[in-house]
Amino acid sequence: MFVRREATILHADLDAFYASVEQRDDPRLRGKPVIVGAGVVLAASYEAKAYGIRTAMGGAQARRLCPNAIVVPPRMSAYSDASKAVFDVFEDTTPSVEGLSIDEAFLDVSGLRRVAGSPEAIAERLRRDVRERAGLPITVGVARTKFLAKVASGVAKPDGLLVVPPDDELAFLHPLAVERLWGVGPITSAKLRGLGIRTVGQVARLSAPILVSIVGRAAGLHLHALAHNRDPRRVETGKRRRSVGGQSALGRRRRSPEDVDAVLVGLVDRVTRRLRKGKRIGRTVVVRFRFDDFTRATRSHTLPDPTAATLTILATARMLFHATLPVVREKGLTLIGIAVTNLQDEDGATQLLLPFERRSEIDVDVALDAIKGRFGSDAVTRGVLLGRKTGWTVPLLPE
DNA sequence: TCTGGGGTCCTAGGACCC
DNA sequence: TCTGGGGTCCTAGGACCC
């Protein structure tokens, strides 16, 4: 197996991303504690973090901690644009970029030394380019493995750079708290701490079977490998999304099934639009519920054929929602969501523009006539209507 | 003013097929 | 009539991440 001997993986992670975009766009927010999101904290500037405010914290608690904090509503499209600008810088740095989320990515810079300098020099330049071209602070960790690079950026935050030389890996890793391990959240952390295990080094002294007995098979083997700094994963480009979803918090006020249905229609419309825009189709529809007592449930149904059709997915989501109505009535609904999974590319589908300008004008018979006229009467085995702003298209899926 | 919105991966049981 | 084991798919739930 190829073993990397040089630290050539970069983990680049924007600092307090949403809050930094707000501070960039509004000079009055600079140097001040800024909270993005009112109900819960979506992001907090470092000035706000100094008061103990954290992401996902309730808005009320955040304001208690820092009454002077400036609360701004999220501007998702601004963050999406900022992300694109930053990823452009990543792509200009190396062709090997693996995005992890809207604000972080792995970059493999092996083989670039002659043209671009050492990994450390590349990382420095990357930070400067992101600052100049996107106006945002970013932290970079550099190491031999993905995991260690991510740990390094976490330690170096904010606005920092940290290279972990191959010879110093365990000395760097083992004193760190177990929560630094990727995959150790509140539940696993509590289990480990309950057994007196507080550092990565202590995890490394446990055998794999013992760890498996504590946290389960996959997680146990994963933690064992990471604690020994074994992480053979490569930087992968071109990963595809495996699900597309949307959800909406309903508040504590009791909603009628008709109200919830209206929310459901909006969610299905949003999600299927995104599917079609990305040219993906999916087979499994999942409806998520959260109840008054914060318990959760999901219901799913798998269709015989993948689709991105609003009406098909809506009918399935409604069926799942109605089947769950007794539970919803009993426990009270505070959130509803839908997701489409089992995704595949909409390849092989032929698109035909149909003469409809508005949804209300769709006539199935007219559509079928148009399809038959274009492809012949037995060319069509199956079709779904896909909405577009400029018209309507029908993909013909080969049987 | 208790708790948003977007995801990933794993586990486990049952159905079904060979 | 009684019998085994393996593999895949579907559903539901859980943990985790940003």
Side-chain angles (χ1 to χ4, degrees):
Chain A
M1 189 184 74
F2 170 75
V3 177
R4 216 177 267 276
R5 281 179 295 128
E6 204 194 353
T8 56
I9 295 180
L10 275 55
H11 179 257
D13 196 348
L14 289 154
D15 303 321
F17 178 47
Y18 296 175
S20 295
V21 172
E22 296 302 334
Q23 289 179 318
R24 177 195 70 181
D25 293 349
D26 185 350
R28 291 170 300 176
L29 302 179
R30 293 177 196 162
K32 307 252 176 67
V34 175
I35 295 171
V36 179
V40 289
V41 178
L42 293 176
S45 70
Y46 276 85
E47 295 84 358
K49 287 183 181 180
Y51 289 87
I53 295 170
R54 297 285 174 264
T55 298
M57 183 179 274
Q61 190 188 354
R63 261 155 286 166
R64 272 197 300 277
L65 287 169
C66 178
N68 296 327
I70 303 167
V71 181
V72 299
R75 295 182 300 140
M76 287 302 171
S77 58
Y79 312 145
S80 176
D81 291 346
S83 178
K84 281 196 190 79
V86 172
F87 272 79
D88 283 347
V89 177
F90 293 166
E91 302 284 348
D92 289 345
T93 302
T94 169
S96 182
V97 178
E98 176 183 339
L100 286 183
S101 70
I102 193 168
D103 68 347
E104 60 177 315
F106 287 117
L107 291 78
D108 187 340
V109 299
S110 59
L112 294 183
R113 184 178 284 275
R114 284 168 132 228
V115 288
S118 69
E120 181 167 8
I122 294 171
E124 271 301 359
R125 196 161 55 242
L126 176 73
R127 278 168 33 74
R128 204 178 57 228
D129 289 349
V130 169
R131 172 71 78 176
E132 283 173 7
R133 287 168 56 182
L136 294 168
I138 190 164
T139 295
V140 179
V142 186
R144 223 164 39 89
T145 63
K146 281 180 164 181
F147 162 63
L148 217 53
K150 185 167 166 71
V151 172
S153 72
V155 170
K157 273 187 167 297
D159 204 12
L161 169 64
L162 181 60
V163 181
V164 183
D167 294 337
D168 296 342
E169 290 173 343
L170 291 183
F172 166 74
L173 187 59
H174 280 179
L176 298 174
V178 284
E179 288 78 13
R180 291 278 183 184
L181 290 174
W182 214 348
V184 175
I187 309 282
T188 306
S189 159
K191 279 183 189 165
L192 293 173
R193 289 195 172 252
L195 296 167
I197 300 155
R198 293 179 299 274
T199 66
V200 177
Q202 286 175 294
V203 174
R205 284 198 284 279
L206 301 175
S207 70
I210 293 284
L211 271 169
V212 166
S213 74
I214 299 171
V215 299
R217 179 170 171 79
L221 297 179
H222 173 74
L223 292 191
H224 189 257
L226 291 188
H228 290 277
N229 191 32
R230 283 195 299 267
D231 177 15
R233 295 169 305 165
R234 308 164 68 122
V235 175
E236 282 182 58
T237 56
K239 279 197 173 176
R240 307 305 308 271
R241 195 180 298 287
R242 301 177 68 93
S243 73
V244 172
Q247 55 182 323
S248 178
L250 303 171
R252 293 193 85 76
R253 188 166 68 81
R254 286 272 173 148
R255 309 291 183 113
S256 69
E258 293 72 30
D259 288 349
V260 178
D261 185 71
V263 176
L264 201 60
V265 171
L267 289 171
V268 168
D269 184 56
R270 222 162 71 201
V271 166
T272 53
R273 275 172 200 276
R274 280 163 53 204
L275 281 172
R276 295 188 294 258
K277 195 174 173 203
K279 299 217 185 304
R280 317 290 314 272
I281 48 182
R283 281 182 62 217
T284 303
V285 180
V286 185
V287 178
R288 284 181 219 293
F289 305 90
R290 198 186 66 199
F291 304 108
D292 277 355
D293 58 2
F294 272 82
T295 56
R296 292 151 207 273
T298 63
R299 294 291 180 270
S300 64
H301 179 75
T302 300
L303 300 162
D305 303 298
T307 179
T310 308
L311 292 185
T312 309
I313 289 171
L314 178 59
T316 310
R318 276 183 168 147
M319 184 266 292
L320 293 166
F321 174 56
H322 286 292
T324 318
L325 265 181
V327 188
V328 168
R329 288 220 168 85
E330 183 200 328
K331 302 182 80 171
L333 197 63
T334 58
L335 176 144
I336 187 153
I338 75 140
V340 178
T341 70
N342 253 322
L343 294 188
Q344 52 184 267
D345 288 332
E346 180 207 279
D347 50 8
T350 307
Q351 304 243 323
L352 168 68
L353 202 62
L354 291 174
F356 307 118
E357 288 299 325
R358 277 182 292 279
R359 185 179 303 257
S360 58
E361 293 173 12
I362 296 180
D363 183 321
V364 173
D365 289 327
V366 172
L368 276 176
D369 282 344
I371 293 164
K372 286 174 181 168
R374 168 70 174 76
F375 295 101
S377 61
D378 42 15
V380 185
T381 53
R382 182 153 40 85
V384 278
L385 286 171
L386 303 186
R388 282 267 189 84
K389 276 185 181 159
T390 52
W392 295 86
T393 60
V394 175
L396 306 171
L397 308 174
E399 200 74 64

